[in-house]
Amino acid sequence: MKPIKLKPKSLFLRPMKHLPFIAFLFSVAVLFAQDPEKSKKYVLDVSQFNGNILLHNTDISHLITEHPAGFIVGVSRKRYGEEAWEADYGYPDTGFTFTYQDMKNPVLGQNFGIHAHYNFYFFKRNVQLRIGQGIAYNTNPYDKNTNFRNNAYGSHLLSSTMVMLNYQKDNIIAGLGFKAGFSLLHYSNANFKAPNTSTNTAAINFGLTYDLNKDLSYEYLPKQTKEKIKEPIRYNLVLRGGLNESDVVNSGQYGFVIFSAYADKRLGRKSAFQLGTDVFFSNFLKELIRFQSISFPEMNVAPDTDFKRVGVFAGHELFINKLSVVTQLGYYIYYPFDFEGRVYNRIGLKRYFGDNVFGSVTLKSHAAAAEAVEFGIGVRL
């Protein structure tokens, strides 16, 4: 749906405007809650990039005018297998990445981002895959009076995802090395505030690395042999919530609550299969139903249409130490109001506190159309 200007109806819960920042702090906590006594070796990398904004939605075609450019700065801690999960995943690095991107269009402005990242290695550790999640600050978001053409970013703070696939050689001479490859930078506020068409930048990057501890050398510890995990079917209860807005600009931000119940079965040390149900109480749909029933009678939306939805889903959980990555695909079995279709998906992070309690930050969407960032707390019985 294209943005339609409305008078704001409600803007309660203003502290939630920092939602992407809270999500970033969560990701930092789960990545860097490590034993300070372990071996430490750090590598700094600096890269310059040039690329293109991908036309994933024709609504942003007027914003793609030139080739965006910027730079990427990262600090990574090498891992050598002191903890079992490190060897299981090929001794990945953990670290931070700072990004700067000039969108080369004054309407879009500039983006400054900070990410927590993992580096995974392939082909005898010559190829590095960096996956990072964090927040970005945009200098010129949508404003109905001064910047109404920016339908990509509805707020200063954005959720940012980055992926880098590079050939990298460290410490070739005097601690210096180099890297070169491809990068993908995604910016979105996950429908926290409309408009939210988002942007994706594909780029080529080239840069240098510097081993900050070039005189230190550690051996990779061999993979530990552990007994295969055998668990019965476990049952999970999750309460999720947050704040979001429909695609109708200035229709107002509203809170939502989701109750989830599912069973999971461990398939080994790394994976579990999930099957369950969600019950959605999404208050932004109340306003959208009211708006469409009044403004678009041809859509035949009754003003008393139920805003609640019920879905069933199947999912997968990938365990990395106390952190896990969750992916789920769902289908609404109770769907009184048509919004973005019956199929939905969810992806995000869980952090376990002990064996039974966990917190989560997940993105719920319909294909590539984000609906909300969900903050959750749950128990695994």
Side-chain angles (χ1 to χ4, degrees):
M1 179 184 297
K2 293 184 178 179
I4 301 175
K5 299 178 184 179
L6 286 180
K7 182 179 179 181
K9 181 177 177 63
S10 174
L11 291 174
F12 62 88
L13 296 176
R14 282 196 175 272
M16 289 296 289
K17 69 182 180 179
H18 300 299
L19 178 150
F21 180 66
I22 298 171
F24 171 69
L25 290 180
F26 181 91
S27 64
V28 171
V30 299
L31 282 176
F32 295 96
Q34 304 292 339
D35 187 341
E37 299 301 321
K38 303 299 182 181
S39 59
K40 294 183 179 180
K41 187 177 179 67
Y42 296 92
V43 174
L44 172 70
D45 62 87
V46 181
S47 298
Q48 185 271 340
F49 70 86
N50 291 81
N52 295 283
I53 299 176
L54 303 179
L55 186 62
H56 70 285
N57 188 322
T58 55
D59 289 345
I60 66 167
S61 58
H62 64 290
L63 300 175
I64 303 176
T65 55
E66 295 186 42
H67 298 288
F71 60 85
I72 299 170
V73 180
V75 177
S76 301
R77 178 183 170 183
K78 313 298 287 185
R79 299 286 173 175
Y80 293 95
E82 286 94 343
E83 298 185 32
W85 70 270
E86 297 172 5
D88 288 344
Y89 289 92
Y91 311 97
D93 309 332
T94 54
F96 288 106
T97 299
F98 173 80
T99 59
Y100 164 75
Q101 181 170 351
D102 183 350
M103 307 302 291
K104 297 297 183 179
N105 185 319
V107 174
L108 287 175
Q110 301 169 323
N111 288 333
F112 299 83
I114 184 73
H115 310 74
H117 73 241
Y118 279 109
N119 295 331
F120 297 96
Y121 290 90
F122 307 93
F123 300 105
K124 297 182 179 181
R125 303 187 72 82
N126 290 314
V127 175
Q128 180 193 86
L129 174 65
R130 175 173 297 179
I131 301 174
Q133 181 63 44
I135 60 169
Y137 179 85
N138 177 257
T139 60
N140 196 29
Y142 168 86
D143 184 276
K144 64 180 180 181
N145 296 315
T146 62
N147 196 26
F148 61 90
R149 295 185 184 278
N150 187 351
N151 61 338
Y153 311 138
S155 57
H156 280 293
L157 285 180
L158 306 171
S159 174
S160 178
T161 303
M162 66 165 300
V163 178
M164 297 181 72
L165 183 64
N166 281 205
Y167 180 82
Q168 179 166 322
K169 294 292 289 186
D170 296 330
N171 203 359
I172 297 175
I173 181 171
L176 286 174
F178 77 96
K179 65 188 304 179
F182 303 93
S183 300
L184 180 66
L185 294 166
H186 169 76
Y187 302 104
S188 167
N189 69 16
N191 250 40
F192 170 72
K193 185 173 176 59
N196 181 50
T197 312
S198 76
T199 63
N200 299 298
T201 300
I204 297 175
N205 63 268
F206 178 83
L208 299 175
T209 70
Y210 182 70
D211 189 335
L212 298 174
N213 310 103
K214 58 181 181 297
D215 296 325
L216 295 179
S217 179
Y218 299 100
E219 295 292 331
Y220 290 105
L221 300 179
K223 188 174 181 178
Q224 300 177 21
T225 301
K226 286 189 174 183
E227 294 183 4
K228 184 177 181 180
I229 293 179
K230 296 181 180 180
E231 286 186 352
I233 294 175
R234 303 286 291 272
Y235 299 95
N236 300 257
L237 299 174
V238 188
L239 175 65
R240 297 183 174 94
L243 192 70
N244 66 339
E245 184 175 14
S246 76
D247 293 334
V248 181
V249 176
N250 288 336
S251 60
Q253 295 164 290
Y254 296 87
F256 63 86
V257 175
I258 303 167
F259 297 100
S260 302
Y262 63 92
D264 74 59
K265 174 61 178 175
R266 288 293 289 262
L267 305 178
R269 291 176 59 187
K270 296 181 180 180
S271 299
F273 175 75
Q274 304 171 341
L275 192 64
T277 185
D278 296 308
V279 181
F280 301 91
F281 298 86
S282 302
N283 289 299
F284 81 95
L285 288 180
K286 283 185 178 180
E287 172 59 19
L288 185 59
I289 290 169
R290 185 197 67 82
F291 170 66
Q292 290 188 0
S293 68
I294 296 172
S295 302
F296 297 95
E298 68 275 13
M299 298 181 72
N300 297 317
V301 176
D304 60 350
T305 300
D306 193 358
F307 72 101
K308 296 184 289 295
R309 295 167 292 176
V310 177
V312 294
F313 67 86
H316 178 267
E317 185 169 355
L318 179 67
F319 296 92
I320 308 174
N321 199 17
K322 295 181 180 180
L323 171 72
S324 66
V325 180
V326 178
T327 52
Q328 296 172 348
L329 182 65
Y331 181 84
Y332 297 114
I333 57 174
Y334 179 68
Y335 188 65
F337 177 69
D338 184 20
F339 178 76
E340 302 287 2
R342 284 183 175 267
V343 177
Y344 65 93
N345 46 281
R346 177 182 285 127
I347 185 170
L349 300 175
K350 290 172 65 177
R351 172 59 157 86
Y352 284 91
F353 303 94
D355 295 329
N356 302 105
V357 178
F358 59 85
S360 67
V361 179
T362 51
L363 172 66
K364 188 228 177 176
S365 59
H366 303 86
E371 180 178 324
V373 171
E374 309 164 331
F375 294 92
I377 185 168
V379 59
R380 186 171 184 253
L381 305 174

